[in-house]
Amino acid sequence: MRIDILTLFPDMFAPLKESIIKRAVDSKLVEINITNIRDYASPPHFKCDDEPFGGGAGMVMMCDPIFKAIEAIKQDNSKIFYMSPRGKVFNQNIAREMLKYKHIIFLCGHYEGVDQRVIDYFNIEELSIGDYVLTGGEIPAMVVADCITRLVPNVIKSESVEDESFSKNLLEYNQYTRPAVYRDMAVPEVLLNGNHAKIAEFRQNQSIEITKKNRPDLLNKK
């Protein structure tokens, strides 16, 4: 999978060079490229934003630099997402669906957003990470890139993905490691006895109870 991110602030994406994502890139399972939209703006000022028509607070990102940036990297099989609080709310199911795309482009808005003609012309899908507003689309783009990268085959062990939160509409059970007793707090005995059927049952029940407490809405999903 190839991921291209279009942004006015490329230095914000340093976290994508660490941990599991770095290993995925180094292993050539995923390719991630960061493009500075300002590189496609006109000299001498390389201006990328202007006042909104109709008035209002803030500035709007202009068509021309974004059009040129997209056209420089877009392929026939590219799918473009604009990170926006107006968009469909991202979740694990959407992340899995996104794996079908070989090339994903994330457009990061800033200020009051981008000129609507960019979205209309390229048939861009708007995507949100939650019901709140951030200063720009960079952090949401990193969130989505992280989520889908770890789902790419061979990036992490398949069993780690299968048992985690949101698999089968349940949240993940509690996890423990050594020592078995720490400051008088003991690991549940069932996890120490080696009976895998009992362990599976215990973890399933824990997942159900945690989901009931924190996300009961998930239990009603098909």
Side-chain angles (χ1 to χ4, degrees):
M1 173 182 284
R2 173 179 165 182
I3 297 173
D4 279 274
I5 301 174
L6 307 182
T7 176
L8 292 175
F9 300 95
D11 290 344
M12 290 185 67
F13 291 90
L16 296 184
K17 298 178 181 180
E18 302 291 341
S19 188
I20 291 173
I21 299 181
K22 181 181 186 302
R23 293 202 300 269
V25 171
D26 290 345
S27 300
K28 301 188 183 306
L29 297 170
V30 178
E31 177 185 352
I32 299 179
N33 305 300
I34 311 298
T35 295
N36 190 341
I37 297 172
R38 204 172 298 278
D39 291 342
Y40 293 88
S42 300
H45 302 297
F46 299 96
K47 185 177 177 62
C48 290
D49 61 303
D50 209 332
E51 296 176 354
F53 282 124
M59 305 290 277
V60 176
M61 291 175 63
M62 300 163 62
C63 284
D64 191 56
I66 302 175
F67 264 72
K68 290 176 179 176
I70 291 176
E71 289 169 342
I73 61 174
K74 185 178 181 296
Q75 304 173 359
D76 291 340
N77 64 350
S78 301
K79 176 65 176 178
I80 309 176
F81 293 92
Y82 170 51
M83 307 311 301
S84 163
R86 302 192 319 183
K88 178 167 59 177
V89 178
F90 181 71
N91 58 36
Q92 195 74 6
N93 289 333
I94 293 175
R96 293 184 185 278
E97 291 174 7
M98 290 172 71
L99 292 179
K100 68 184 178 185
Y101 301 117
K102 299 298 183 183
H103 182 211
I104 292 175
I105 299 173
F106 292 116
L107 171 61
C108 301
H110 227 79
Y111 316 119
E112 296 303 311
V114 305
D115 191 303
Q116 182 65 31
R117 289 169 290 186
V118 174
I119 297 170
D120 294 342
Y121 184 87
F122 291 104
N123 192 28
I124 296 174
E125 183 172 340
E126 296 188 57
L127 195 60
S128 167
I129 62 167
D131 296 338
Y132 45 85
V133 179
L134 300 174
T135 56
E138 285 76 18
I139 291 174
M142 279 189 278
V143 168
V144 179
D146 182 294
C147 185
I148 60 177
T149 294
R150 63 191 306 282
L151 295 177
V152 171
N154 300 317
V155 170
I156 60 176
K157 294 179 180 179
S158 59
E159 55 266 30
S160 295
V161 175
E162 292 169 0
D163 289 337
E164 64 189 3
S165 291
F166 306 110
S167 297
K168 304 173 184 176
N169 291 327
L170 292 174
L171 301 181
E172 190 173 4
Y173 46 80
N174 295 335
Q175 297 280 13
Y176 302 88
T177 188
R178 294 178 178 81
V181 178
Y182 180 74
R183 296 192 179 185
D184 297 327
M185 295 181 289
V187 172
E189 185 65 28
V190 66
L191 299 177
L192 307 176
N193 62 21
N195 187 326
H196 295 293
K198 289 290 186 182
I199 291 172
E201 180 183 5
F202 174 78
R203 286 175 166 171
Q204 175 73 5
N205 290 336
Q206 269 205 331
S207 287
I208 293 172
E209 290 305 312
I210 293 169
T211 306
K212 282 182 180 178
K213 177 183 177 182
N214 295 335
R215 289 292 305 277
D217 58 296
L218 293 175
L219 296 174
N220 297 322
K221 291 186 177 180
K222 295 182 179 180

